[in-house]
Amino acid sequence: MMQQFLELKEQAEGCLLFYRMGDFFELFFDDARIAAGILNIALTSRGEHDGEPVAMCGVPVHAAEGYLARLIRGGCRVAIAEQVETPEEAKLRAKAEGKPSSKVLVKRDIVRFVTAGTLTEEALLEPRQANVLAALAEVRGVIGIASCDISTGAMVLEECAPDMLNAALARLGPSECVVPEVWEWASGDEIERPKSDFSSDGGLVRLKAIHSVATLDGFGDFSRAMLAAAGGLVEYLDHAGRGTLPLLLPPKVHAGDAVMVIDEATRSNLEILSSQSGARQGSLIASIDRCVTGAGARMLAGDLAAPLYNRAAITQRLELVNWLHGDPITRANLRDGLRSLPDLGRALGRIMAGRGSPRDLGQIRDGLRDAATLRDMLGALSDYPALLTHLLPDLSGQAEGGHGALVDLLSRALVAAPPTERSSGGFIAEGYDHGLDELRATSGNARRAIAVMEARYRDDTQITSLKIKHNGVLGYFIEVPSKHGDALMEANSGFTHRQTMKGAVRFNSIDLHEEASRIAEAGGHALAAEEAHFEDLVANIAARAQAIAITAEALARIDVSAGQAERAAEGGWCRPSLTDGPQLTITGGRHPVVEDALSKDGERFVANDCVLAASDRLWLIGGPNMGGKSTFLRQNALIILMAQAGGFVPATSANIGLVDRLFSRVGASDNLAKGRSTFMVEMVETAAILSQATDKSFVILDEVGRGTSTYDGLALAWAVAEEVHSRIACRCLFATHYHELARLSDSCPALSLHHVRAREWKGDLVLLHELTKGPADRSYGLAVARLAGVPDPVVKRAKQVLAKLEKARSETGGIGAGLGELPLFAAAPQEEEPDAAAELAARIASIDLDALSPRDALDLLYDLSREAQTSGALTKS
């Protein structure tokens, strides 16, 4: 056995090996140690191998899914090794090979690899989160990305420049990423596969074969890089499924210019899909998600991760939300109908992956039937928007001939509530197959006959405690207490002894054996018949897989729209208007997450306006800590994101010029894993903004320049503000505590000064959280320190030091002295003066002293002396 295990372990390619032994999956050696630590189960040992005890642990087969989920969350990958022949087949094989049948080992093989990106089981997936697997390939300097959620079959191909790869992966959020060996852009978390898997020609051939087409032109225009990535993705799925591919829908092309670009740092700073702690709670999606289906919640997450940059498409989404927002009764009825829907897409994914159950068949039946009901309800209304006009036919699969025949077949074939396991049968409805009904009747009659037999045996033996029982080892047997065992042991009793237990004796009889045989035979035939019907129903569903997937997607879109309308009604949100211009006019804007948190404590959020235009596109915002600067910056970024995702926004009104890229340099922390300090992280983020932002972008910058010396920080903040204002010329909100930056308003015509209001009252700081025009008069840092609980002696000493510093500033002009005379560098670039000392040092370093005669050396010394005096190098050095 151990030899078989080691051979399979070698095939497992670094995965933990679940080795099937009876009713358990066993793990051995290091696999057992790792699993026991993660699962918190007992670690034991058994025998020896190479002189060492064999560590082992196990999990029950019937509960394996729960343990697998914990291992996957723990970062493990698992190979499942199942028995691929029965003990009887193993004995026949041994006989054919001339080996003793008593010592033959049942064959086992790895039937599947379970990894983070290849999950389909309901118990292993988060219902409200997509589970994306991505594959990457590089072709002639372009990165191809193939992504797929195999739980639903959705597949998307795209390409990007290498410097945009991180932003693309941040948008997709893959659970697992597959790359060719020796990947240049590796981060250490990728799964490496042979380079030969990532062939564009191979990808083209595999996709055409999967979808049974002669050309992919009908699906889109795919580049070589996209096809290479697709090839790697399909090969990995083929490997993970051991030759069985999951559901893969026709691939779609993701056009990079069709969505807003948001880099990884901005997604983290804005807490779009998860908070800084990594949890969903406290994020934007947690605040706005009112979807009643898992599929709707997953689609909403996709909308927020990739807001649109196409005004017509955004308007279509907004019109449907607005239509539902204006009709509360229809919205409530629609949401009630959606709430009862099963997860149609994931049920289809399990069926197509060969892991479906009778319950999944029932979910397809119920989901398609309820979708048709919703179509009829919505279709009876009038004046519905264009997007709904497009979605209604998809609800019934009209483009593929309709789902009616399939729903009818499944309704006739299945019981009302099919079980999750098909091995025990009982899922085919009575009346669907008369032959199956007869087999069930035979089995039922035999069971009734056994009940009659039990009563007769009690009367004949006068043993009232006699019972006929059944188990998986003995089958049916007669059991009596030990004190009555001797009477049934007699030669003419008609009973045959089977087993003696503590306190009981078990027997068999000819009549019981005959009835048990009838039950077993009828039951076996019935199970075989149900299995054949199951395969037939799966084939019928597979024939309509693409149409069912389209219906599932349409239901999700309707759920998202209804959820957006519901959230807007709850919060009094408005429909944004979108233009192609550079303006941003938000009246009464609020931060949805902060407002939610305040409302739970009975507090009111202070709304603020934001009005940016071509002539006033950069707001420099000052004021105290805790005054609301960062909240104001984030809320406007989120309002833009929500609007372009196609939803209402938390504001009184909003007129938004489309944003192509969203950037946030707000609140950083160090990254010790990459050897970066907090300041370094902030500078990396700032550098990305300055190199990638366009005049259509929206940028929020919070306290650029902190974390280094005051002079360096002020200089950097000044230069960054000038660059954003004059070269990039995008809309920007710039929060700072450097009051000296207010002087930029003299040289930057499109820059205006604003601050959050605060007042001191009887020694206490009162934060008003209101934004108003004009520069901040002070930062109130000491008052905030007192609020934070800094001891009074420290605050008093700080006041003394502050008084001296302010006195020195008034006498000397402070650190900002002379900044007003600086020319705007973008308009009047200054050439750096040559460094005379450095040039002189370079000349001296280049002299070959060994090659100089005494006379030459003296002449050179005079030359160097004159050069140093005329250039001033000696003074400077």
Side-chain angles (χ1 to χ4, degrees):
M1 186 207 78
M2 193 51 62
Q3 181 182 352
Q4 185 186 64
F5 170 84
L6 293 173
E7 290 174 354
L8 291 172
K9 178 61 182 173
E10 189 174 347
Q11 299 174 31
E13 300 179 354
C15 300
L16 302 183
L17 182 63
F18 267 32
Y19 184 83
R20 179 73 178 265
M21 293 182 67
D23 293 331
F24 278 79
F25 283 120
E26 301 288 354
L27 298 97
F28 299 98
F29 302 108
D30 288 342
D31 288 2
R33 297 185 183 94
I34 294 170
I38 295 174
L39 301 177
N40 194 26
I41 58 177
L43 180 69
T44 62
S45 62
R46 170 179 173 177
E48 289 189 354
H49 180 74
D50 291 341
E52 296 290 334
V54 177
M56 66 176 292
C57 66
V59 300
V61 171
H62 69 85
E65 283 190 356
Y67 291 105
L68 279 172
R70 291 163 63 185
L71 289 171
I72 296 299
R73 284 195 293 269
C76 300
R77 295 184 298 144
V78 181
I80 307 292
E82 287 276 11
Q83 296 176 182
V84 293
E85 65 179 359
T86 65
E88 292 74 19
E89 290 171 337
K91 290 176 181 178
L92 290 174
R93 173 172 54 83
K95 185 177 180 181
E97 294 172 356
K99 298 178 180 177
S101 60
S102 59
K103 297 183 179 180
V104 67
L105 188 65
V106 174
K107 274 187 179 179
R108 293 173 175 84
D109 196 9
I110 295 175
V111 297
R112 179 190 171 198
F113 289 90
V114 182
T115 68
T118 59
L119 304 177
T120 57
E121 289 84 354
E122 197 169 5
L124 304 184
L125 293 168
E126 292 290 339
R128 304 182 80 82
Q129 292 181 11
N131 190 50
V132 177
L133 170 68
L136 312 178
E138 184 269 334
V139 177
R140 292 191 287 274
V142 176
I143 305 294
I145 306 174
S147 58
C148 177
D149 183 347
I150 71 164
S151 68
T152 61
M155 186 177 188
V156 178
L157 305 184
E158 59 186 287
E159 65 179 21
C160 67
D163 62 346
M164 296 303 295
L165 177 58
N166 287 338
L169 291 177
R171 168 173 50 79
L172 293 170
S175 302
E176 192 172 12
C177 195
V178 184
V179 299
E181 294 169 320
V182 197
W183 180 245
E184 181 179 346
W185 299 274
S187 65
D189 298 326
E190 298 86 357
I191 305 299
E192 291 192 349
R193 299 294 298 163
K195 286 186 177 181
S196 57
D197 290 355
F198 297 81
S199 160
S200 58
D201 289 335
L204 177 63
V205 170
R206 290 303 299 264
L207 288 178
K208 289 195 294 187
I210 289 169
H211 301 293
S212 303
V213 294
T215 176
L216 299 180
D217 293 347
F219 302 144
D221 184 14
F222 305 112
S223 68
R224 282 288 175 184
M226 294 180 193
L227 292 172
L233 180 72
V234 174
E235 290 293 341
Y236 181 69
L237 289 173
D238 193 42
H239 160 76
R242 301 292 277 181
T244 300
L245 284 174
L247 171 65
L248 291 176
L249 297 173
K252 297 179 180 178
V253 176
H254 171 83
D257 57 357
V259 299
M260 179 194 293
V261 176
I262 310 174
D263 63 19
E264 184 177 9
T266 300
R267 291 178 190 277
S268 175
N269 292 338
L270 296 181
E271 301 178 295
I272 299 170
L273 300 183
S274 62
S275 64
Q276 295 287 352
S277 67
R280 196 174 194 264
Q281 188 64 32
S283 66
L284 174 65
I285 191 170
S287 174
I288 70 175
D289 182 8
R290 296 297 183 270
C291 296
V292 294
T293 69
R298 297 194 298 270
M299 180 171 281
L300 175 63
D303 290 349
L304 295 176
L308 300 175
Y309 187 57
N310 181 301
R311 189 150 60 97
I314 298 170
T315 300
Q316 277 198 342
R317 290 184 185 177
L318 287 172
E319 285 176 348
L320 180 51
V321 174
N322 189 59
W323 185 74
L324 292 166
H325 181 266
D327 190 343
I329 296 176
T330 296
R331 185 173 74 247
N333 292 336
L334 176 61
R335 283 166 58 81
D336 285 342
L338 289 167
R339 192 174 280 110
S340 63
L341 281 171
D343 198 328
L344 199 58
R346 285 192 165 171
L348 177 64
R350 288 190 292 273
I351 290 169
M352 297 301 294
R355 300 167 199 150
S357 68
R359 180 171 176 265
D360 293 321
L361 301 185
Q363 289 188 338
I364 298 294
R365 174 198 62 195
D366 299 342
L368 295 180
R369 183 186 58 211
D370 293 349
T373 302
L374 290 176
R375 178 209 61 200
D376 294 341
M377 183 191 82
L378 293 171
L381 302 173
S382 59
D383 299 326
Y384 41 77
L387 182 55
L388 190 57
T389 303
H390 172 73
L391 293 173
L392 286 178
D394 291 343
L395 293 181
S396 59
Q398 188 173 313
E400 299 290 334
H403 297 311
L406 178 60
V407 172
D408 178 65
L409 172 65
L410 294 172
S411 299
R412 289 186 293 106
L414 298 171
V415 296
T420 55
E421 295 293 331
R422 73 181 202 242
S423 57
S424 300
F427 54 86
I428 296 298
E430 185 177 350
Y432 180 71
D433 180 347
H434 296 300
L436 175 60
D437 292 343
E438 291 177 3
L439 290 170
R440 286 174 172 169
T442 300
S443 178
N445 291 336
R447 284 187 173 89
R448 283 189 288 274
I450 285 178
V452 171
M453 187 184 303
E454 181 182 73
R456 190 179 81 241
Y457 284 159
R458 285 178 182 173
D459 292 339
D460 292 347
T461 62
Q462 297 299 303
I463 302 173
T464 57
S465 54
L466 180 148
K467 293 180 181 179
I468 296 179
K469 295 183 177 182
H470 180 275
N471 66 28
V473 178
L474 298 180
Y476 284 95
F477 55 87
I478 300 158
E479 183 175 283
V480 297
S482 296
K483 63 181 180 179
H484 299 296
D486 291 343
L488 273 63
M489 290 274 194
E490 294 178 3
N492 298 324
S493 66
F495 297 98
T496 305
H497 177 256
R498 295 290 303 278
Q499 192 175 34
T500 298
M501 309 288 292
K502 183 180 180 181
V505 185
R506 292 171 175 175
F507 298 88
N508 199 356
S509 72
I510 295 174
D511 291 344
L512 178 60
H513 176 73
E514 290 175 351
E515 292 297 341
S517 298
R518 276 195 286 272
I519 291 174
E521 185 178 1
H525 288 316
L527 288 176
E530 290 206 61
E531 182 65 23
H533 287 310
F534 182 88
E535 296 298 336
D536 179 64
L537 295 175
V538 166
N540 278 275
I541 289 172
R544 295 192 57 78
Q546 189 172 342
I548 295 170
I550 290 172
T551 298
E553 186 175 2
L555 289 167
R557 174 53 63 196
I558 291 172
D559 186 26
V560 169
S561 300
Q564 290 272 36
E566 185 74 13
R567 185 64 182 92
E570 287 178 13
W573 294 0
C574 73
R575 174 181 175 174
S577 61
L578 294 144
T579 70
D580 294 319
Q583 71 271 17
L584 176 66
T585 306
I586 297 172
T587 305
R590 285 117 55 202
H591 192 300
V593 181
V594 177
E595 185 177 32
D596 273 358
L598 289 174
S599 66
K600 291 175 183 176
D601 296 330
E603 298 182 32
R604 183 180 64 89
F605 186 93
V606 178
N608 280 294
D609 300 344
C610 180
V611 183
L612 301 180
S615 59
D616 186 15
R617 60 180 177 267
L618 196 162
W619 280 17
L620 199 65
I621 304 169
N625 289 308
M626 301 293 294
K629 298 190 302 298
S630 296
T631 298
F632 178 73
L633 266 58
R634 286 184 170 99
Q635 79 186 34
N636 287 289
L638 291 177
I639 286 171
I640 292 170
L641 184 150
M642 292 165 66
Q644 291 189 212
F648 280 29
V649 298
T652 305
S653 66
N655 184 15
I656 300 169
L658 285 179
V659 169
D660 66 345
R661 299 181 178 215
L662 185 63
F663 292 99
S664 166
R665 166 54 299 288
V666 178
S669 59
D670 56 20
N671 189 330
L672 299 180
K674 293 185 177 180
R676 293 175 177 174
S677 66
T678 300
F679 180 69
M680 182 62 176
V681 171
E682 293 179 354
M683 288 299 99
V684 168
E685 294 176 6
T686 303
I689 293 170
L690 298 180
S691 63
Q692 296 174 17
T694 73
D695 61 346
K696 293 281 189 181
S697 301
F698 182 73
V699 176
I700 57 174
L701 297 167
D702 191 9
E703 297 186 36
V704 170
R706 67 178 180 177
T708 186
S709 73
T710 303
Y711 283 96
D712 285 356
L714 174 58
L716 282 166
W718 186 288
V720 169
E722 286 184 331
E723 177 79 351
V724 170
H725 173 276
S726 301
R727 185 186 67 80
I728 300 173
C730 66
R731 289 159 287 181
C732 176
L733 301 177
F734 193 126
T736 184
H737 285 290
Y738 291 126
H739 297 167
E740 294 79 7
L741 292 182
R743 302 185 187 186
L744 279 168
S745 62
D746 298 331
S747 57
C748 298
L751 180 149
S752 59
L753 305 177
H754 302 260
H755 68 278
V756 289
R757 296 179 60 207
R759 290 289 181 268
E760 282 190 289
W761 175 255
K762 295 182 180 180
D764 292 327
L765 180 65
V766 180
L767 300 170
L768 302 177
H769 302 295
E770 295 176 2
L771 191 78
T772 189
K773 290 184 178 180
D777 56 349
R778 51 190 293 200
S779 288
Y780 299 95
L782 302 188
V784 173
R786 183 184 290 110
L787 278 178
V790 174
D792 283 342
V794 176
V795 176
K796 289 178 181 177
R797 176 56 179 162
K799 280 186 176 179
Q800 296 172 356
V801 175
L802 178 63
K804 288 185 175 293
L805 291 173
E806 288 181 336
K807 181 180 178 182
R809 182 177 64 183
S810 63
E811 293 173 353
T812 64
I815 63 173
L819 286 177
E821 289 75 40
L822 271 177
L824 185 61
F825 78 90
Q830 302 293 307
E831 293 185 5
E832 291 187 7
E833 294 183 8
D835 188 338
E839 291 181 359
L840 186 60
R843 183 179 174 190
I844 293 173
S846 66
I847 298 171
D848 185 358
L849 295 177
D850 293 334
L852 293 176
S853 65
R855 178 68 182 181
D856 293 337
L858 186 60
D859 290 342
L860 179 61
L861 186 58
Y862 278 111
D863 288 343
L864 294 174
S865 176
R866 282 193 298 273
E867 182 177 337
Q869 291 171 8
T870 56
S871 66
L874 293 175
T875 303
K876 293 179 181 179
S877 61

